[in-house]
Tab-separated table of all heavy atoms in Angstrom:
chain	number	residue	atom	x	y	z
D	154	GLY	N	-22.671	25.672	-0.908
D	154	GLY	CA	-22.093	26.888	-1.450
D	154	GLY	C	-22.786	28.119	-0.915
D	154	GLY	O	-22.159	29.102	-0.513
D	155	ARG	N	-24.129	28.083	-0.894
D	155	ARG	CA	-24.896	29.205	-0.342
D	155	ARG	C	-24.629	29.363	1.156
D	155	ARG	O	-24.597	30.476	1.673
D	155	ARG	CB	-26.387	29.007	-0.605
D	155	ARG	CG	-26.820	29.267	-2.040
D	155	ARG	CD	-28.335	29.298	-2.155
D	155	ARG	NE	-28.925	27.975	-1.946
D	155	ARG	CZ	-29.108	27.079	-2.890
D	155	ARG	NH1	-28.763	27.355	-4.147
D	155	ARG	NH2	-29.662	25.905	-2.613
D	156	CYS	N	-24.440	28.227	1.831
D	156	CYS	CA	-24.222	28.258	3.290
D	156	CYS	C	-22.971	29.065	3.643
D	156	CYS	O	-22.950	29.788	4.619
D	156	CYS	CB	-24.107	26.824	3.804
D	156	CYS	SG	-23.551	26.661	5.508
D	157	ILE	N	-21.905	28.935	2.829
D	157	ILE	CA	-20.645	29.618	3.139
D	157	ILE	C	-20.369	30.800	2.222
D	157	ILE	O	-19.317	31.440	2.326
D	157	ILE	CB	-19.469	28.642	3.092
D	157	ILE	CG1	-19.285	28.064	1.674
D	157	ILE	CG2	-19.624	27.529	4.115
D	157	ILE	CD1	-18.067	27.179	1.519
D	158	GLY	N	-21.293	31.081	1.310
D	158	GLY	CA	-21.111	32.215	0.418
D	158	GLY	C	-20.039	32.012	-0.643
D	158	GLY	O	-19.376	32.978	-1.062
D	159	ARG	N	-19.850	30.775	-1.075
D	159	ARG	CA	-18.868	30.454	-2.109
D	159	ARG	C	-19.516	29.650	-3.224
D	159	ARG	O	-20.693	29.273	-3.134
D	159	ARG	CB	-17.684	29.676	-1.501
D	159	ARG	CG	-16.890	30.464	-0.471
D	159	ARG	CD	-16.242	31.695	-1.042
D	159	ARG	NE	-15.521	32.480	-0.091
D	159	ARG	CZ	-14.240	32.342	0.183
D	159	ARG	NH1	-13.519	31.431	-0.449
D	159	ARG	NH2	-13.645	33.120	1.082
D	160	THR	N	-18.755	29.343	-4.277
D	160	THR	CA	-19.300	28.581	-5.386
D	160	THR	C	-19.559	27.134	-4.973
D	160	THR	O	-18.891	26.602	-4.059
D	160	THR	CB	-18.357	28.591	-6.595
D	160	THR	OG1	-17.165	27.851	-6.253
D	160	THR	CG2	-18.001	30.008	-6.989
D	161	PRO	N	-20.501	26.454	-5.627
D	161	PRO	CA	-20.771	25.062	-5.314
D	161	PRO	C	-19.544	24.160	-5.457
D	161	PRO	O	-19.307	23.273	-4.607
D	161	PRO	CB	-21.872	24.674	-6.309
D	161	PRO	CG	-22.570	25.962	-6.610
D	161	PRO	CD	-21.478	26.987	-6.618
D	162	ASN	N	-18.751	24.372	-6.513
D	162	ASN	CA	-17.568	23.524	-6.701
D	162	ASN	C	-16.539	23.742	-5.612
D	162	ASN	O	-15.866	22.799	-5.163
D	162	ASN	CB	-16.953	23.794	-8.067
D	162	ASN	CG	-17.769	23.201	-9.203
D	162	ASN	OD1	-18.581	22.290	-8.985
D	162	ASN	ND2	-17.601	23.699	-10.404
D	163	TYR	N	-16.367	24.984	-5.194
D	163	TYR	CA	-15.431	25.260	-4.065
D	163	TYR	C	-15.906	24.541	-2.817
D	163	TYR	O	-15.103	23.915	-2.118
D	163	TYR	CB	-15.367	26.776	-3.814
D	163	TYR	CG	-14.603	27.140	-2.541
D	163	TYR	CD1	-13.223	27.316	-2.583
D	163	TYR	CD2	-15.257	27.278	-1.316
D	163	TYR	CE1	-12.524	27.648	-1.421
D	163	TYR	CE2	-14.559	27.580	-0.165
D	163	TYR	CZ	-13.202	27.767	-0.226
D	163	TYR	OH	-12.512	28.082	0.927
D	164	ALA	N	-17.216	24.635	-2.540
D	164	ALA	CA	-17.759	23.972	-1.329
D	164	ALA	C	-17.550	22.469	-1.395
D	164	ALA	O	-17.132	21.850	-0.401
D	164	ALA	CB	-19.248	24.313	-1.212
D	165	ALA	N	-17.821	21.864	-2.553
D	165	ALA	CA	-17.700	20.403	-2.674
D	165	ALA	C	-16.259	19.964	-2.538
D	165	ALA	O	-15.942	18.952	-1.886
D	165	ALA	CB	-18.272	19.950	-4.007
D	166	THR	N	-15.335	20.718	-3.162
D	166	THR	CA	-13.916	20.368	-3.086
D	166	THR	C	-13.376	20.506	-1.678
D	166	THR	O	-12.676	19.621	-1.177
D	166	THR	CB	-13.100	21.258	-4.046
D	166	THR	OG1	-13.568	21.058	-5.389
D	166	THR	CG2	-11.621	20.910	-3.976
D	167	LEU	N	-13.700	21.615	-1.027
D	167	LEU	CA	-13.249	21.835	0.340
D	167	LEU	C	-13.821	20.788	1.277
D	167	LEU	O	-13.113	20.270	2.155
D	167	LEU	CB	-13.658	23.226	0.829
D	167	LEU	CG	-13.357	23.553	2.291
D	167	LEU	CD1	-11.847	23.497	2.563
D	167	LEU	CD2	-13.919	24.912	2.671
D	168	PHE	N	-15.087	20.444	1.072
D	168	PHE	CA	-15.710	19.450	1.942
D	168	PHE	C	-15.037	18.093	1.824
D	168	PHE	O	-14.751	17.457	2.839
D	168	PHE	CB	-17.203	19.336	1.616
D	168	PHE	CG	-17.976	18.596	2.666
D	168	PHE	CD1	-18.473	19.261	3.778
D	168	PHE	CD2	-18.195	17.229	2.582
D	168	PHE	CE1	-19.167	18.578	4.768
D	168	PHE	CE2	-18.876	16.532	3.551
D	168	PHE	CZ	-19.370	17.230	4.660
D	169	ARG	N	-14.777	17.669	0.613
D	169	ARG	CA	-14.133	16.358	0.426
D	169	ARG	C	-12.704	16.383	0.959
D	169	ARG	O	-12.252	15.408	1.581
D	169	ARG	CB	-14.140	15.959	-1.032
D	169	ARG	CG	-13.467	14.617	-1.284
D	169	ARG	CD	-13.991	13.908	-2.468
D	169	ARG	NE	-13.609	12.499	-2.476
D	169	ARG	CZ	-14.091	11.590	-3.286
D	169	ARG	NH1	-15.018	11.929	-4.154
D	169	ARG	NH2	-13.683	10.349	-3.233
D	170	ARG	N	-11.988	17.456	0.722
D	170	ARG	CA	-10.605	17.549	1.206
D	170	ARG	C	-10.576	17.545	2.740
D	170	ARG	O	-9.679	16.974	3.349
D	170	ARG	CB	-9.957	18.819	0.675
D	170	ARG	CG	-8.479	18.966	1.047
D	170	ARG	CD	-7.935	20.285	0.512
D	170	ARG	NE	-8.076	20.374	-0.940
D	170	ARG	CZ	-8.358	21.508	-1.582
D	170	ARG	NH1	-8.557	22.635	-0.902
D	170	ARG	NH2	-8.447	21.500	-2.897
D	171	GLY	N	-11.557	18.207	3.347
D	171	GLY	CA	-11.559	18.340	4.793
D	171	GLY	C	-12.109	17.148	5.558
D	171	GLY	O	-11.734	16.917	6.694
D	172	THR	N	-13.023	16.388	4.932
D	172	THR	CA	-13.643	15.271	5.646
D	172	THR	C	-13.260	13.898	5.112
D	172	THR	O	-13.479	12.893	5.777
D	172	THR	CB	-15.187	15.370	5.569
D	172	THR	OG1	-15.602	15.208	4.207
D	172	THR	CG2	-15.674	16.711	6.099
D	173	GLY	N	-12.696	13.877	3.891
D	173	GLY	CA	-12.380	12.582	3.287
D	173	GLY	C	-13.607	11.909	2.694
D	173	GLY	O	-13.526	10.752	2.246
D	174	GLN	N	-14.736	12.611	2.660
D	174	GLN	CA	-15.975	12.056	2.123
D	174	GLN	C	-16.630	13.071	1.185
D	174	GLN	O	-16.451	14.280	1.330
D	174	GLN	CB	-16.953	11.740	3.257
D	174	GLN	CG	-16.493	10.649	4.211
D	174	GLN	CD	-17.440	10.522	5.390
D	174	GLN	OE1	-17.466	11.382	6.268
D	174	GLN	NE2	-18.192	9.454	5.417
D	175	THR	N	-17.424	12.543	0.254
D	175	THR	CA	-18.258	13.426	-0.542
D	175	THR	C	-19.416	13.924	0.319
D	175	THR	O	-19.661	13.379	1.405
D	175	THR	CB	-18.819	12.697	-1.770
D	175	THR	OG1	-19.716	11.671	-1.328
D	175	THR	CG2	-17.717	12.107	-2.635
Side-chain angles (χ1 to χ4, degrees):
R155 284 190 292 270
C156 170
I157 62 174
R159 297 297 178 92
T160 67
N162 286 339
Y163 171 88
T166 300
L167 175 61
F168 193 85
R169 179 153 195 170
R170 184 182 301 144
T172 65
Q174 296 173 288
T175 65

